[in-house]
Amino acid sequence: MRKASALLQCILALLLAIWGVKLLLPDRNVWGNPQFETLMMQCQIPSTEAVIRLYQGNAGATVAYWYSVTFDNGKFLGEKQIFYTYAYPSIQSIDCRPDEVTVLADEQSWTFSLKEIKNQLINQPIEFYRGEPQQKSIQPLRILTLSFGVLLELISLWILSRSFKQFGASQNPE
C-alpha cells in the first residue's frame, strides 16, 4: 500500500514540477496578456523566415486596449514581443520590408532594422503607457507568475522527498 501511495505522490510531484517549469519559462509577451489578444495582422520579412505579428489586447470594460507587436524568427526562441502600447498610441498596421519593419500608429511610425530587433528589442521591447515611453521594467503579473512557479517547484520537491522516504520505509519493514 505504501508503494502505491509513494508512486501517486511521485506522479503528483512530477505534474506540479512540469506546471512550475511552464510558469517559469519566458512568455511571448513582456507586457500584456496573450490570452486576451487577437491577431490583427502579420507580415513576413522578405528573404527570411521571420514573421512580424500585430495583436490587439482587450481585457474588458475596465481597461483600455493595448497593442503588441511580436517577432518570430521561426527558430527555437519562438515569438517574442518587440513593441507594446497601452491605451495609445494605437497601432494601425505593420509593414515588413527587406531588413526592416515599420510600426504605424495614428500620427507616427517607428522603423526598426532586423539587426536592432534581434539584438535589442527581443530582449527589451519598446513600451508606451498612455502615450508616454516607459523605462525598462517587469510586469507585476509576471512577478506573481514567477513566484507561483517557484512555489510549485518547492512543493513538488517536498512531495518527492516525502514519497522517497515513504518508499524507503516500505522497502525496510520493521
Side-chain angles (χ1 to χ4, degrees):
M1 185 66 179
R2 282 188 171 182
K3 284 183 181 181
S5 177
L7 180 62
L8 286 174
Q9 287 178 8
C10 284
I11 292 170
L12 176 63
L14 179 64
L15 291 174
L16 289 175
I18 291 169
W19 186 18
V21 166
K22 184 178 181 318
L23 292 174
L24 293 172
L25 291 174
D27 198 358
R28 175 184 86 198
N29 286 5
V30 173
W31 290 94
N33 185 339
Q35 295 175 349
F36 296 114
E37 293 179 349
T38 303
L39 179 64
M40 293 178 62
M41 67 180 306
Q42 68 180 20
C43 61
Q44 184 169 355
I45 299 173
S47 303
T48 70
E49 293 179 22
V51 175
I52 303 294
R53 293 184 181 93
L54 170 62
Y55 294 92
Q56 182 182 50
N58 179 7
T62 60
V63 297
Y65 289 115
W66 67 85
Y67 299 88
S68 183
V69 178
T70 64
F71 172 77
D72 185 352
N73 65 359
K75 296 188 173 111
F76 176 71
L77 288 177
E79 190 175 7
K80 293 290 181 192
Q81 187 176 56
I82 60 170
F83 194 91
Y84 171 83
T85 68
Y86 177 81
Y88 53 88
S90 60
I91 308 298
Q92 302 302 312
S93 65
I94 50 177
D95 182 31
C96 296
R97 293 186 298 275
D99 296 323
E100 68 179 24
V101 173
T102 301
V103 176
L104 302 148
D106 295 330
E107 298 177 8
Q108 62 193 82
S109 65
W110 298 265
T111 299
F112 308 109
S113 69
L114 190 53
K115 183 178 177 181
E116 182 180 10
I117 291 170
K118 288 180 177 180
N119 294 335
Q120 293 173 311
L121 298 179
I122 61 168
N123 297 317
Q124 185 57 50
I126 293 174
E127 176 199 356
F128 286 87
Y129 183 83
R130 298 195 183 274
E132 296 295 321
Q134 300 297 300
Q135 298 300 317
K136 186 176 180 176
S137 60
I138 187 166
Q139 187 172 5
L141 181 59
R142 183 67 182 142
I143 294 170
L144 183 64
T145 303
L146 291 172
S147 300
F148 190 64
V150 168
L151 179 65
L152 287 174
E153 293 302 315
L154 292 172
I155 291 171
S156 70
L157 287 173
W158 179 75
I159 292 172
L160 199 57
S161 70
R162 275 189 55 161
S163 67
F164 283 152
K165 286 178 186 174
Q166 192 174 19
F167 185 76
S170 71
Q171 294 293 332
N172 302 322
E174 295 176 9

